[in-house]
Each structure stands twice: as structure tokens, then as C-alpha cells.
Amino acid sequence: MINRKIITLITSLFFFIIVQAQVTKTINVTTAGTLSKLLTSDELSTITDLTVTGNINQSDISTMNTWMPSLVRIDISETTIKAYSDGLTNYPENEIPIWAFYSCQRLKSIKLPKTITAIGDLAFEYCYGLTGPLIIPPSVKRIGEHAFAYCNFTGTLTIPSSVTTIGTEAFRLCKGFTGSLIIPSSVTSIGGSAFELCSGLIGSLTIPSSVTTIGYGAFKDCTGFNGSLSIPSSIKTIESGTFQGCLGFTGSLSIPSSVINIKNGAFEYCYGFTGSLSIPSSVTTIGESAFYGCSGFTGSLSIPSSVTNIGNGAFEYCSGFTSLSIPASLTTINDYVFYGFTGLVGSLIIPPTITSIGNKSFLGCRNLSSITIPESVTTIKNEAFEKCSALKRIFLYGNDPTKINLGSSVFWEVPINTCYLHVPVGKKALYAAAVQWNSFANIIEGYATVSALTITTPTVVTNKMVDGNTNAAITKPGTLQGVDATDAYNVGVTATATYDNASVGTNKTITVVYTLTGSAKDKYITPANYVITTGKISDYITLAPLSIPTPGCEGLYLDLPYTLRTGTPTQYKITFNSEALNAGVKNITYTTLPNTGSSGILSIPIPVNTKDGTYQGTLKMKNELDVESTDYPFTFTINVSADNILTKFDDVVLFNNFSKRFTGYQWYKNGVEIAGATKQFYSDPNGLVGSYSLKLTTTDGKTLYSCEKDLNIPSSKVGVSTFPNPVKANASFTVQLKGVNCEELKAAKLSVYDMQGICVYESGEVNNINKLDLPVSGAYIGHITTSVSDYMFKIIVIK
């Protein structure tokens, strides 16, 4: 008996195969709303690929989505969508209805009607199975809310120039898009989270001037953008999280003068910006974490006087800013606002309108040298200036420290033993008795004698050889400026310079740090660090072993290839052994390298009359610091001079062996060995046209080669020859014509006669070289007639 489970399994598998089979149907719907009536119940359950033409409405689309469980591919491009009402909802014409294919996860592709003007809300949301490119017809004006959210389209997203509105979450989490996002100038509104988490979009993001509103989180976590960001002057508010997590933007960011509000997290984690941040005087509020983590901004952060509120952490971890201007329009510095401004150098001045400095607001500003706190400040919260480890001066203008409400660890890890606390005259005792203020070892009354010094540009050696340390040499630290005349001999300066790391490379950062010396040094603020970004640490020059160059010829050049392993050479020299020098080769003194790549070819001139032979040379290079490489030897060969190849009789080349140095010869023509040409001379029956050279054997058994000699001496002989002559009966012999061109041979005729005048051979096809044989011994006379001349020859045939 067959096992019942096996039968069930086979039946299920059979059913699965049937269900998965592709079933295609094309149908024309004349009256909208009748699709279900035009299909049988079997078709409703089995059709996988459906093409519809004619007129449809929401009920037809409902049929496709709800009552056709196998349907995966739909083409309704040639349909017209008609208006429809189910008593509860009115569905407009020419619009993909609201909820049309919502969560239709089996749907793999759809071709939209060419005449639609809108795609309704949630029309394709959660259609995970939709893949491939998305083609939106050029008639569409509105893309509804959640229209394509959570779909898996691939390729470029092209929004047609007819679209004016992109709804909330229209393309949210469509991660498969690649390429640039082009928003046409027809668009006026981009809804919240419209492109959120579309991480495959790349390139610059240009928002056209037609756009007047951009919703919250519209481009949140679009991590693929990698160019500049252009915000149009039509935007008044940058909503919360609009560009949050767009970490690939580069260059400077200019907020247009139309913007009034920058809301919470608008640019949070956009740490790819590499230039300046320009905030216009139109901005009044900057929300919490608005620029949190934008560490790539550099230069000065100048907050305009129009700003009245900056939210918590608005600029937290913006570590690239080097200076900060806080406007007098603020009364409070909120929590974490300037936390982690590690690039901030020099002085920080709190404006006299500020009453409260928030928690950790300046924590980690480790390069600040001085802070001015006005009398208006009555509250400094927890850890406000923690880890400001480079502070040298704090200027306090409050008359009573007990009226300043201090949080915990306000000055934790500030150098309290060396940082000077400047207080109003007559108030030193009050500060010396107040909690936290009394931890400073140096409390000074007054401010007039304290000056910030500057210094002229130092002279720094910006290029050195790699030595395992980061030290850079300073030949001149510069001249202090701003010292009072009375302190001219009581204040000096020293300087140290260091590379950012000790590794080999270019465009390295060298930082010059100054230290004041002398008895009056505490009356002054040390000049700010000087930073150089063009430093270089050079490596030692090493080359791969040199290969043997191709032999050269006197009067020409020999090519010496080289491959660089390390270092940056700028010059080379080549020296030769005494044998090479005696043969006529000249040393090459240091000469600029012809290229700066990792490999190259050096040309060595071989003077005329240089004696042939094999010699030794040595290559040496040096870099821009005149540091030389080790020696790199190489062997090279100069071939025998081509002047020894002589010409005779227009068709004979002869090698001059007057010195009796050579015993063997092999001739070459155009680089190809000539078979059998092993004598001191070689006769070329076609004249001397080409490059001739030899392989030579010396009396002591060595093999040498000659240089090539280019000849162009056509044969001047015109006539006929036979060889071999005599020839054996029935053996082939050659009849060769010399000096006869092709035109002459077109009507030529070759005849052979015996001594009785009988024609024994005749041919109307005559070439410069002709092969024939004769079976009977005897003497024969040959006759060749051409259009110009007649030629006679004699051939002897032997037994």
C-alpha cells in the first residue's frame, strides 16, 4: 500500500507547480467596473500576468488586488481610470486610488496608466515584492502620502517634470534606488520623510527654487549623497531631521537668507561637510541638536545677532570650528551647545547679556587659552568648562562669587595650578574663599596688564627624512608682538614643532606650539598655535634590482629601465667602470629625472666610435633633501659598429674583418636570420634593401652581435639566371628574372628548345621566379619574351 503521507506530499507538490505556472491574459474592459465579470473563476485564481486595456475604476483595481491571488505582473498602461464612488469614498478619475495595492506583497511589477495625474495615498505601501525600475508617467502631478513606501525598486528614481507635490513618506525606505535624485522645478512641496532611508541615492542634492516647503525628516538617513547641498531661497523653515544622518555631504553649507527657523536635528550627524557654515541674519531659532556631530565644518562659527534661542546640543561635537562668536541677543547658553569644540583656539568671550551657562556647554574645548565671563552671569551649571585643559586665563567680572550659582565639576581637569584667575580689584579675598574658585593657585586682581600676544610667521623645516619621531625643526620661531616696552627684556618665547604622525607622506600637519619665558610672562597670553598643512616626511630611496638593458649601438642611446620601491627621487647619476670609460662612454652627472612616477626609463648616450663590448655601470639617485640612494649596478653591452658592414656591386654586403678578430658569421635581414648566409659576405639577388646585421663568433669563441645597417640599394641588374646549372634530368631548377617589373610580365611567355629547335616546354604564366624540370639530358636554349624585351638562357641537363 502506498503511504498516505507520500500521496499527500505528491499532491501538494503537484498543486504548487500548477499554482506557480505562468498564466498570461490580455483583456479589454469597455465598461469600467466589469473586470471581474469578464474573467472566469478559474482565471481569477490562476492568472499571473495580466494586461488590461480600456476603462477601469477602483473596483477593477480592487479585483486585481483582492480577488486574484496569483497575479504578480500587471500592465494597465493603456487604460483610463474612471471616477468611482462606493457610497463612502469618492475616487477621482485619472488617479491610482487610495490604498489601491496596499501591502500587495506578491506584486512584482506594474506598468501605470499613461494618463494618470495622481498616485493616491498608500497606493503601493508595503509592496515589498515590487522590484526593478519605477516609471512614473509624465502626466502625474501629485504623488500621494506613503504612495511607494517600503517598496524595493532598483535603479534611478526619475520624477517627471509634471509633479508638483511629493507626499509624506512617499518613498520612505525604498532602499534600492541608485544614482542621483533629480527633483524637477515643477515640485513645490516635499512631504515629511518623503525620501527617508533611501540610502542608495548618491551625488549632490539640488532642491529647486520652486520648492517652498520641505517636511520633517524628508531626506533623513539618505547616507548616499556625496556632493554639495543646495537649499533654495524659497525655504523659510528647515524642519526637524530634514537632513539628519546625511553624512556624505561635502563642502561648505550656506543657509539661504529666507530661513527663519532651523529645527531640532535638522543637520544632525551630517559630519561630511568640509567647509564653512554660513548662518544668515534672518535666522531667529536654532533647535536642539540642529548641527550635532557636524565635525567637518571648519573656520569661524559666527552666530548672527538675530538668533534669540539655541537649543540643547545644537552644535555638540562640531569639533572643526576654530573660533566662536556668540551674539548679545542670547540670554542663556543651553546645555551641551558647544560641547566637544576641540578645534576652538584662542579666546572665548561670553557676551554681557548671558545670565546662565548650561550643563557641559563647553566641555572638552581643550584648545581654548582664555575665557571671559561677564558680570551678568549668575549660573554656571555642571561641568560647563570641564576638560578645557589648555586654559591660561579666566577673566571674571562678577564682584561677588557667592552670587554665581556653580554646578558640580565646573572646572574639572582645568589646569588650576597654572591658569590665572583674573577678578575685579579688591575682590581677590572673596574668590579665594569661595568654593571651586579657591582651587585656583593664581588669583590676580585687575585686567589691564594682561595682553594677548601675537608672533610673526615662524620658519619651519617642513620636509625631513623619516626617523621614527614627530619632531620638526624650527630655524626661526618668529618675533613677539604686543609686549609693553617696559617688559621688552622680561618676556621671551620658545617654540616646538611636531608632525601629526611619524609616518612617510605628504600634506602632513605640523603644529608649532609657543611657550612664553621670562619674569613678566604671566602678564601675557601666549600666541595661538601656528599650523602648517604642507609638511612632508620623505622615505629613503630604494629600487628594484636593475634588469639588463637591451644592447645599444654607438651614436645612439641605450635605455635603462628602473622601478622605484620607496622614496621620492628627483635626480639621478650614472658612473661607468674604467673599461667603459676607455671604450668612449661618458659618466652622467646628477641630472633631473625625466618623470616622477614609480617607474621610468633613463637614456644613456653612446658616443660615436665607442668600442663594442660588455661593461659595468652604476645608477644612483637622490631626493629633494640631497639624500642619496645606495649604488645599483648594472651590466650593458655595446654591439659591434655597423660601420663594419660594407656594400659591393649593389647586391653584396661584406663584413670588414681587417683585424682578423672574427671567425664565424650569420647574416640577418630585418631582424630575421638568413638561412645559409654564414660567410663573411652575403649576396642579395634582389638588391640591398632593408636592415642588415650579423651574429659574430670571435677567435676566442665568444658570440657578439653587430648593429643594424639600413640600406636602400635596389638591384640595377636586368637579366635572367638559372640554378642549379647543370641540373639532373627530372630535377627541378629555377629560372629567375631580375629587374623586370610586373607590368612587363603580364604578357610574357617562356619557351625551352632542344638543340634541334624543337619546343619542349612552353608557359604563358611567367613570374620573376619560375620552377620547371626537363626529363631528357642534353643542352637547351630558353627564351622569355615580355612586353618590353626578350631574354635568353642556356641550361644543361645531365643524367
Side-chain angles (χ1 to χ4, degrees):
M1 178 181 291
I2 299 176
N3 189 296
R4 184 174 297 174
K5 291 184 178 179
I6 295 176
I7 294 175
T8 302
L9 177 61
I10 293 173
T11 303
S12 299
L13 180 60
F14 179 72
F15 178 76
F16 176 78
I17 292 172
I18 292 175
V19 168
Q20 292 299 307
Q22 183 174 348
V23 179
T24 302
K25 178 74 173 181
T26 299
I27 189 166
N28 180 65
V29 179
T30 304
T31 304
T34 62
L35 175 63
S36 62
K37 297 178 181 179
L38 298 175
L39 298 172
T40 67
S41 59
D42 183 61
E43 287 176 324
L44 285 171
S45 63
T46 60
I47 290 175
T48 61
D49 295 61
L50 178 64
T51 299
V52 182
T53 61
N55 302 305
I56 62 174
N57 60 22
Q58 191 277 338
S59 67
D60 296 312
I61 292 175
S62 179
T63 296
M64 298 179 211
N65 185 20
T66 307
W67 302 109
M68 301 184 73
S70 299
L71 190 58
V72 293
R73 283 172 286 273
I74 301 171
D75 183 350
I76 52 175
S77 59
E78 298 299 330
T79 64
T80 300
I81 296 180
K82 298 296 184 178
Y84 178 77
S85 177
D86 59 7
L88 296 175
T89 306
N90 294 322
Y91 300 92
E93 65 177 0
N94 292 324
E95 179 175 320
I96 299 293
I98 183 173
W99 303 89
F101 292 95
Y102 177 84
S103 195
C104 186
Q105 297 175 15
R106 70 181 184 280
L107 188 60
K108 293 182 179 179
S109 69
I110 184 166
K111 293 183 179 179
L112 301 176
K114 297 176 181 178
T115 56
I116 58 171
T117 58
I119 299 171
D121 298 348
L122 302 103
F124 296 95
E125 186 174 22
Y126 294 113
C127 289
Y128 298 129
L130 274 177
T131 60
L134 170 62
I135 300 175
I136 302 172
S139 56
V140 171
K141 296 180 180 180
R142 179 177 66 87
I143 301 173
E145 297 183 1
H146 300 252
F148 297 101
Y150 305 97
C151 292
N152 288 312
F153 297 116
T154 58
T156 302
L157 170 58
T158 300
I159 298 173
S161 58
S162 56
V163 172
T164 60
T165 302
I166 301 173
T168 300
E169 298 191 30
F171 298 98
R172 188 176 189 272
L173 262 169
C174 290
K175 292 184 176 181
F177 288 127
T178 58
S180 300
L181 171 62
I182 306 299
I183 301 174
S185 58
S186 58
V187 174
T188 59
S189 175
I190 300 174
S193 298
F195 299 96
E196 183 178 353
L197 286 164
C198 290
S199 56
L201 298 173
I202 63 173
S204 300
L205 173 59
T206 300
I207 301 170
S209 58
S210 58
V211 175
T212 57
T213 59
I214 303 174
Y216 60 88
F219 301 96
K220 183 179 179 182
D221 292 323
C222 287
T223 56
F225 290 127
N226 54 19
S228 59
L229 170 62
S230 176
I231 301 173
S233 58
S234 53
I235 298 298
K236 293 182 179 180
T237 298
I238 300 176
E239 297 288 350
S240 299
T242 299
F243 303 101
Q244 183 179 348
C246 292
L247 48 84
F249 288 131
T250 59
S252 299
L253 173 62
S254 180
I255 308 294
S257 58
S258 58
V259 172
I260 299 172
N261 298 314
I262 302 173
K263 293 192 174 181
N264 299 348
F267 298 94
E268 187 173 2
Y269 293 118
C270 291
Y271 52 71
F273 288 115
T274 53
S276 60
L277 170 62
S278 177
I279 301 174
S281 58
S282 57
V283 173
T284 59
T285 59
I286 300 173
E288 293 185 5
S289 301
F291 295 94
Y292 180 98
C294 291
S295 57
F297 285 127
T298 58
S300 175
L301 172 58
S302 180
I303 301 170
S305 58
S306 57
V307 174
T308 57
N309 182 62
I310 301 176
N312 293 342
F315 296 97
E316 188 172 351
Y317 288 117
C318 288
S319 57
F321 288 119
T322 55
S323 64
L324 171 64
S325 175
I326 301 173
S329 53
L330 294 177
T331 59
T332 300
I333 296 175
N334 286 320
D335 298 343
Y336 303 93
V337 174
F338 305 107
Y339 184 123
F341 265 43
T342 56
L344 199 59
V345 296
S347 301
L348 170 66
I349 298 175
I350 307 295
T353 55
I354 299 295
T355 60
S356 176
I357 299 174
N359 294 306
K360 300 183 180 181
S361 50
F362 293 96
L363 189 150
C365 295
R366 60 172 180 251
N367 288 308
L368 275 179
S369 58
S370 73
I371 298 173
T372 298
I373 302 174
E375 186 179 5
S376 59
V377 172
T378 58
T379 300
I380 303 177
K381 294 185 178 180
N382 300 340
E383 305 165 43
F385 298 103
E386 182 177 335
K387 296 184 180 180
C388 292
S389 53
L391 278 177
K392 295 178 174 61
R393 310 276 175 179
I394 299 177
F395 301 101
L396 287 161
Y397 286 84
N399 288 306
D400 187 352
T402 63
K403 293 182 179 180
I404 302 175
N405 181 23
L406 290 182
S408 63
S409 304
V410 171
F411 299 105
W412 183 261
E413 293 190 30
V414 168
I416 55 178
N417 291 322
T418 58
C419 179
Y420 287 84
L421 196 65
H422 292 263
V423 301
V425 175
K427 306 300 179 181
K428 178 177 179 178
L430 292 176
Y431 279 91
V435 176
Q436 291 197 54
W437 302 115
N438 60 9
S439 62
F440 284 86
N442 301 293
I443 302 176
I444 300 174
E445 292 184 345
Y447 321 96
T449 59
V450 178
S451 301
L453 300 182
T454 59
I455 193 167
T456 58
T457 303
T459 303
V460 181
V461 178
T462 59
N463 190 1
K464 73 168 186 175
M465 293 300 297
V466 61
D467 55 8
N469 65 63
T470 59
N471 299 334
I474 300 176
T475 57
K476 184 179 179 182
T479 304
L480 278 177
Q481 295 179 330
V483 177
D484 291 342
T486 55
D487 292 327
Y489 299 100
N490 299 319
V491 178
V493 67
T494 60
T496 58
T498 55
Y499 285 87
D500 51 350
N501 59 64
S503 61
V504 170
T506 58
N507 297 323
K508 304 181 76 65
T509 298
I510 300 174
T511 303
V512 179
V513 179
Y514 299 101
T515 302
L516 294 179
T517 61
S519 59
K521 65 181 178 61
D522 293 335
K523 294 170 60 177
Y524 299 93
I525 297 173
T526 306
N529 297 343
Y530 182 74
V531 178
I532 299 169
T533 58
T534 56
K536 179 180 180 181
I537 296 181
S538 297
D539 203 354
Y540 289 92
I541 301 168
T542 60
L543 304 175
L546 299 177
S547 57
I548 298 175
T550 302
C553 292
E554 50 106 8
L556 300 174
Y557 288 86
L558 184 143
D559 290 337
L560 174 63
Y562 68 90
T563 300
L564 184 67
R565 285 181 172 171
T566 61
T568 53
T570 58
Q571 292 184 307
Y572 74 97
K573 73 173 182 179
I574 300 176
T575 55
F576 300 97
N577 63 358
S578 57
E579 289 84 357
L581 296 173
N582 291 334
V585 183
K586 305 295 183 184
N587 287 336
I588 300 175
T589 59
Y590 267 119
T591 303
T592 301
L593 274 172
N595 64 69
T596 57
S598 60
S599 62
I601 296 176
L602 302 175
S603 294
I604 302 173
I606 308 300
V608 175
N609 298 324
T610 298
K611 183 181 178 182
D612 62 86
T614 299
Y615 305 105
Q616 299 291 322
T618 300
L619 171 64
K620 203 179 190 74
M621 292 185 176
K622 68 179 180 179
N623 66 9
E624 69 280 359
L625 299 176
D626 285 338
V627 176
E628 293 185 311
S629 69
T630 58
D631 292 340
Y632 287 89
F634 62 95
T635 300
F636 66 100
T637 298
I638 306 299
N639 285 337
V640 177
S641 174
D643 290 345
N644 291 299
I645 299 174
L646 309 175
T647 59
K648 300 289 185 181
F649 314 119
D650 297 338
D651 60 357
V652 175
V653 281
L654 171 70
F655 183 79
N656 178 10
N657 192 21
F658 181 78
S659 63
K660 302 187 184 300
R661 181 181 170 195
F662 303 101
T663 60
Y665 310 88
Q666 173 60 61
W667 286 91
Y668 288 76
K669 182 177 180 180
N670 298 328
V672 179
E673 180 180 301
I674 304 172
T678 57
K679 296 182 179 180
Q680 187 178 351
F681 65 91
Y682 167 67
S683 176
D684 194 330
N686 295 317
L688 302 176
V689 179
S691 297
Y692 294 85
S693 61
L694 299 98
K695 180 170 72 174
L696 301 161
T697 304
T698 64
T699 55
D700 55 358
K702 294 180 180 178
T703 298
L704 301 179
Y705 291 85
S706 79
C707 297
E708 291 184 333
K709 187 162 190 174
D710 294 327
L711 299 173
N712 187 19
I713 307 174
S715 174
S716 62
K717 297 180 180 179
V718 177
V720 62
S721 61
T722 58
F723 53 89
N725 194 1
V727 63
K728 289 185 178 181
N730 291 316
S732 177
F733 66 93
T734 299
V735 178
Q736 181 175 359
L737 280 169
K738 294 192 293 184
V740 180
N741 60 42
C742 295
E743 286 297 321
E744 291 184 61
L745 293 176
K746 284 183 178 179
K749 181 179 179 182
L750 187 155
S751 304
V752 179
Y753 300 89
D754 62 14
M755 297 309 295
Q756 285 75 38
I758 299 172
C759 181
V760 298
Y761 178 87
E762 188 174 59
S763 174
E765 182 178 346
V766 182
N767 300 303
N768 282 314
I769 296 177
N770 306 273
K771 297 285 187 178
L772 62 156
D773 59 76
L774 297 172
V776 180
S777 61
Y780 296 86
I781 299 298
H783 183 204
I784 298 176
T785 60
T786 71
S787 60
V788 177
S789 302
D790 289 352
Y791 302 95
M792 303 289 292
F793 63 89
K794 184 176 182 180
I795 182 73
I796 304 297
V797 178
I798 60 177
K799 293 183 179 180

